[in-house]
Amino acid sequence: MNPRNSLDTVPSWVPAVGHALRHAGIHFDAVRIGGMLGEEVAYELMQFTHFEAGPIVRELAGEQNLYFLLPPQTAAAYSWPAGARALSRSGRSAAFVGVPALEGLTWPLDWRSRPTEESPFVEPDLLYETVLRAVR
C-alpha cells in the first residue's frame, strides 16, 4: 500500500480482522450497485480520482454487489437511478453493510478501493454523476 495514502488510524467502523456488519447511516451511508454496472462505476471513479476514490466494498460471492461508502446522512439527497440503491438510516427499515478488515482473510468481501486519510468516503456528487453517465 502506498504509505502516503495509508491510514494513521483505522476508522472505528473497519473491523480489525475478518469482516463485520455495520448499520448504514451511522458511520457511513452506502450506495449498492450490482454486477457489471457496479464494476463500471468503480472503474470510472478510480480512473477519475487517480485511484483515491474512497471506500468501495466488493462482494466476491452471491450477487457480487459493490458498496460505495458515503459520508453519513448523504445518500438520500439523490434520486438514484435503477440499479443503484441508497442504504441509509431511515424509520422504515434498517440496512446493514458488510465491511472487511484492511488486511488478512476477509472472504467473501474485499476492498475495491480503501478508505484513506485523503478520501475517507466516496464523494457523493461525483458518485451520482458517474452512475448517471453509466446508465445512459
Side-chain angles (χ1 to χ4, degrees):
M1 183 165 17
N2 183 344
R4 183 175 70 82
N5 293 337
S6 64
L7 293 169
D8 289 334
T9 59
V10 176
S12 63
W13 45 268
V14 175
V17 296
H19 53 79
L21 290 178
R22 300 293 187 233
H23 189 188
I26 304 294
H27 300 289
F28 55 79
D29 279 3
V31 174
R32 180 179 66 208
I33 306 175
M36 291 305 296
L37 177 60
E39 286 293 341
E40 179 182 347
V41 169
Y43 176 80
E44 292 299 323
L45 275 177
M46 298 288 286
Q47 292 294 310
F48 187 79
T49 62
H50 304 286
F51 298 93
E52 293 188 26
I56 304 170
V57 175
R58 176 174 42 197
E59 291 178 340
L60 300 172
E63 296 180 23
Q64 297 183 349
N65 293 308
L66 279 90
Y67 295 85
F68 299 80
L69 306 186
L70 311 177
Q73 309 302 307
T74 59
Y78 301 87
S79 179
W80 298 97
R85 180 171 177 218
L87 304 173
S88 188
R89 190 174 189 176
S90 75
R92 296 176 304 211
S93 65
F96 292 87
V97 175
V99 176
L102 293 177
E103 303 294 334
L105 183 61
T106 62
W107 193 90
L109 303 172
D110 77 351
W111 291 103
R112 178 70 168 84
S113 176
R114 295 172 181 231
T116 65
E117 294 270 340
E118 295 81 13
S119 302
F121 298 105
V122 173
E123 206 291 310
D125 289 335
L126 180 58
L127 176 62
Y128 183 70
E129 292 301 321
T130 304
V131 172
L132 289 181
R133 279 194 309 276
V135 297
R136 287 184 188 152

